[in-house]
């Protein structure tokens, strides 16, 4: 029993002198979004989350959307699964690339509007990506 008390006391001393950093404080997400082949030409902006900022026109809304689409282990940047059955709808020539870090991992994702699956994938990230016209 004495040994157990000594171990607990030693652990308390170590915890006070060597605090473990908070996961929230250590997580700062930075993304670069480039949209091309749209009526405005090529647009590039940065998005920082936790806290929200950057040159994105709606950083708080974009960060909130990414947080919402990341819950439950979902990956908002995942490509359309191989073998998916997609409607043959063309959503326009717009393309986008998102790169940087999100939730502690490296991101390099491309988006286009060439079929129903890709249109849905793009629309799921509005306002991170602009609403297509």
């Amino acid at each position: 029993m004495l040994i157990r008390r000594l171990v607990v006391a030693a652990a308390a001393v170590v915890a006070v002198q060597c605090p473990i950093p908070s996961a929230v404080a250590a997580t700062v997400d930075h993304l670069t979004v480039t949209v091309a082949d749209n009526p405005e030409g090529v647009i590039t902006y940065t998005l920082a989350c936790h806290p929200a900022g950057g040159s994105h026109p709606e950083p708080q809304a974009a960060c909130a959307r990414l947080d919402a689409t990341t819950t439950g282990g979902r990956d908002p940047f995942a490509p359309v699964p191989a073998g998916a059955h997609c409607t043959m709808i063309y959503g326009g020539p717009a393309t986008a690339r998102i790169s940087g870090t999100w939730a502690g991992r490296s991101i390099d994702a491309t988006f286009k509007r060439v079929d129903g699956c890709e249109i849905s994938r793009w629309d799921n990230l509005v306002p991170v990506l602009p609403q297509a016209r």
Side-chain angles (χ1 to χ4, degrees):
M1 189 62 131
L2 179 60
I3 293 175
R4 182 175 179 193
R5 286 184 190 168
L6 289 174
V7 169
V8 170
V13 169
V14 169
V16 169
Q17 294 189 9
C18 303
I20 297 171
S22 166
V24 173
T27 303
V28 178
D29 301 303
H30 296 279
L31 299 170
T32 300
V33 180
T34 302
V35 181
D37 301 317
N38 65 57
E40 292 83 22
V42 176
I43 301 168
T44 298
Y45 44 83
T46 59
L47 176 62
C49 296
H50 312 114
S55 63
H56 190 285
E58 299 178 68
Q60 291 182 335
C63 291
R65 184 65 191 147
L66 285 170
D67 285 337
T69 58
T70 303
T71 60
R74 293 180 293 169
D75 180 2
F77 306 103
V80 173
H85 297 284
C86 305
T87 58
M88 297 310 298
I89 296 174
Y90 181 66
T95 61
R97 179 176 181 213
I98 300 176
S99 60
T101 59
W102 179 255
R105 65 184 186 89
S106 182
I107 302 299
D108 190 1
T110 56
F111 295 81
K112 51 194 173 194
R113 301 182 58 80
V114 296
D115 61 34
C117 294
E118 292 288 352
I119 292 169
S120 177
R121 186 170 167 253
W122 180 298
D123 290 349
N124 189 47
L125 283 184
V126 171
V128 178
L129 295 174
Q131 182 72 45
R133 296 172 227 189

